[in-house]
Amino acid sequence: MTILVTGSAGFIGANFVLDWLGGTDESVVSLDKLTYAGNRQNLASLDGDSRHHFVHGDIADQALVSALLAQHQPRAVLNFAAESHVDRSILGPEEFIQTNIVGTFRLLESVKAYWQQLPAERAGTFRFLHVSTDEVYGSLGAADAAFTEQHQYEPNSPYSASKAASDHLVRAYHHTYGLPVLTTNCSNNYGPYHFPEKLIPLVIHNALAGKELPIYGDGQQVRDWLYVTDHCSAIRRVLADGKLGETYNVGGWNEKANLDVVKTLCAILDQEQPRADGRSYAEQIAFVKDRPGHDRRYAIDAGKLERELGWKPAETFETGIRKTVRWYLDHQAWVAHITSGAYREWMSKQYQ
Ligand code: NAD
Ligand code: TYD
C-alpha cells in the first residue's frame, strides 16, 4: 500500500510525510515542484528510507502524474501543493491561478483517469484528499460565530480566491464524476519547517537578527492557530473515516490577535535566548502599513470533525508555541539555508 502526497517539501506537507512515516510503514511517493517554499532538506531525515520516494515535478504535469500513479498504484492522493502566501498573491497572483486552480484541475484529471480504470474493489476504497484553508470563507466580525462547513464562500485575496476555486473543482469532480474526494479547511498552522515569510517564523527570525517585528495595521486582526502536527492528525482521521464528498473544518479553538501572538513570542524568546543588552525583544515591534484587503478575523468551528470523527487537537497554543520557538532556536542552520538570496529579495520588496 502507498499514498501519493503533493507539496511534500513545503511546511505542512513535510510535517505530514514525517509524521506519517513516523507512525506507519505504508510508503509515500512525494511530488513537489520545489518552488521557493519547497525545501528538499525538510525531508532529509528520510534519505535512504525505502518507504519514501521523492519526485521533483509539477502537479500540473499530467504526463508525469499519470506515470507516477500507474507506476506506484497509490490507494490515496493527498494534495498539499499550492502557492500559499497571501502577501505574495497580492504582489503577483499569476502563480496562484496557475498552481492552485489550473494545477488542481490537471491533478484531478490525472487522478480521475487513474481511478476510473482501477478494479471495482480498489476504486471503492480510493481517496483524493484536498487540503484547503479557512480563508475561503472570508472575514468575520468580532461578534460573529466561527466558520462552520455551511458558511458561504467569500474569499477576499487572490490566494483565498484561488483556493476557493480549487475547492469547487474538487467538489465538482465528486458530484459529476463520482471521484471519491474529501476536503479539509484548516485554520492558520504553525510549527517546525514554517517558511519565515509567515508571521510566526518571520517574527522569531527577525527578533534573533535584531530586526523590526512588522505588525500590519493595528495588529488586532485575529487568526485561529493550530499546531501543525494536529493538522496532520486531523488529515489522517479524515482520510481514514471521512464521508465521501464532505468537507471538514480543522481548527485549534485558539483565536489570538496578531499583536498578542507577537508579544507571546517575544516573552518566550526573552526567557529562552535573552537579548545581549538584557532588554525585551518586544522593543523591536514596529507597526507597518496594513495588508490591502486584510481579513479581520478567522475562527473555525471544528465541531463536526470532533463529533463525527472524534478528532481533537493535542496541543494548546501555549504548549505549541513554546515547542515552535525551541525548534527554531535549535534549527538555525535550517533558517540560514533558506534565508539567502531569493528570500532577501522578497523581504526588501515586501517591507521596503
Ligand atoms: P507551503 O507554501 O509551505 O508549501 C507548498 C509546497 O507546494 C511547496 O513545497 C511547493 O514547492 C509546492 N508546490 C507549489 N506549487 C507546486 C506545483 N505546481 N506542483 C507541485 N508542488 C508545488 O504551504 P503550506 O503552508 O505547507 O500549505 C500546504 C497546503 O495547506 C496548501 O494547500 C495551503 O493552502 C493549505 N493550508 C495552509 C495553511 C497554513 O497555515 N500554512 C492553513 C490551511 C491550509
Ligand atoms: P500570515 O502568516 O501571512 O498568514 P495568513 O495571512 O494566511 O493569515 O499572517 C498571519 C497574520 O499576521 C495576518 O493577519 C497578517 C499578519 N502579519 C503581520 O502583521 N506582519 C507580517 O509581517 C506578516 C507576514 C503577517
Side-chain angles (χ1 to χ4, degrees):
M1 299 270 265
T2 192
I3 60 169
L4 186 133
V5 176
T6 74
S8 54
F11 164 46
I12 306 175
N15 274 286
F16 182 85
V17 171
L18 293 170
D19 236 43
W20 179 271
L21 291 174
T24 161
D25 276 336
E26 182 171 5
S27 59
V28 175
V29 177
S30 45
L31 173 67
D32 198 292
K33 192 178 168 185
L34 298 178
T35 67
Y36 79 93
N39 184 355
R40 190 64 189 81
Q41 263 199 355
N42 295 353
L43 299 168
S45 62
L46 297 173
D47 286 351
D49 187 328
S50 60
R51 300 170 305 161
H52 183 237
H53 181 70
F54 182 83
V55 179
H56 180 193
D58 191 328
I59 55 167
D61 182 344
Q62 277 180 253
L64 171 69
V65 174
S66 301
L68 284 176
L69 292 169
Q71 184 189 348
H72 296 281
Q73 298 283 312
R75 68 163 177 104
V77 173
L78 288 82
N79 184 31
F80 293 82
E83 288 293 332
S84 69
H85 189 36
V86 173
D87 293 321
R88 284 185 192 256
S89 84
I90 294 167
L91 284 183
E94 181 104 25
E95 279 301 312
F96 289 73
I97 307 308
Q98 184 55 38
T99 281
N100 300 359
I101 306 180
V102 178
T104 303
F105 157 69
R106 296 242 170 90
L107 179 65
L108 282 164
E109 280 291 292
S110 307
V111 169
K112 172 165 72 75
Y114 166 71
W115 167 73
Q116 283 175 334
Q117 54 75 53
L118 286 175
E121 198 185 324
R122 287 189 46 215
T125 55
F126 179 82
R127 298 289 180 266
F128 178 85
L129 190 147
H130 181 60
V131 179
S132 192
T133 166
D134 60 356
E135 304 194 23
V136 297
Y137 297 124
S139 185
L140 291 169
D144 291 342
F147 301 127
T148 66
E149 290 77 1
Q150 276 70 49
H151 200 282
Q152 67 187 16
Y153 273 39
E154 289 175 337
N156 290 320
S157 71
Y159 164 65
S160 55
S162 66
K163 290 297 290 187
S166 70
D167 293 8
H168 292 324
L169 284 168
V170 170
R171 176 190 156 89
Y173 271 65
H174 175 68
H175 191 79
T176 304
Y177 306 110
L179 190 69
V181 308
L182 299 157
T183 298
T184 54
N185 293 92
C186 188
S187 61
N188 285 58
N189 285 214
Y190 66 100
Y193 304 109
H194 204 181
F195 194 81
E197 64 184 351
K198 306 277 169 72
L199 180 69
I200 288 178
L202 178 88
V203 163
I204 299 172
H205 176 61
N206 279 12
L208 296 173
K211 295 190 178 144
E212 285 190 344
L213 313 180
I215 308 272
Y216 297 163
D218 63 1
Q220 293 309 311
Q221 304 83 4
V222 170
R223 298 293 183 264
D224 181 352
W225 294 96
L226 181 71
Y227 192 65
V228 63
T229 51
D230 279 325
H231 189 188
C232 297
S233 73
I235 290 171
R236 287 198 303 272
R237 280 301 298 131
V238 173
L239 179 66
D241 287 316
K243 272 203 223 136
L244 293 188
E246 300 233 346
T247 67
Y248 294 87
N249 283 354
V250 188
W253 308 98
N254 271 317
E255 284 187 59
K256 304 273 178 216
N258 293 338
L259 186 56
D260 293 336
V261 169
V262 173
K263 284 183 175 164
T264 302
L265 289 168
C266 291
I268 298 173
L269 283 168
D270 287 341
Q271 292 167 0
E272 298 274 336
Q273 187 143 316
R275 264 172 50 158
D277 62 6
R279 306 171 77 116
S280 172
Y281 288 100
E283 291 189 10
Q284 291 166 232
I285 290 175
F287 290 88
V288 301
K289 193 160 78 67
D290 206 354
R291 171 187 281 175
H294 198 171
D295 283 339
R296 195 70 182 163
R297 175 175 166 239
Y298 303 141
I300 274 279
D301 180 338
K304 173 178 172 181
L305 189 51
E306 183 175 347
R307 276 191 312 278
E308 297 187 8
L309 302 181
W311 176 85
K312 269 199 217 167
E315 300 288 344
T316 62
F317 188 70
E318 288 64 35
T319 59
I321 199 72
R322 202 164 269 280
K323 277 190 190 179
T324 303
V325 172
R326 204 55 263 167
W327 190 88
Y328 281 89
L329 290 173
D330 293 342
H331 292 80
Q332 283 296 301
W334 180 88
V335 178
H337 176 75
I338 55 179
T339 50
S340 56
Y343 177 80
R344 291 211 193 99
E345 270 168 45
W346 162 253
M347 292 300 281
S348 62
K349 205 155 115 191
Q350 171 67 7
Y351 297 98
Q352 61 193 345

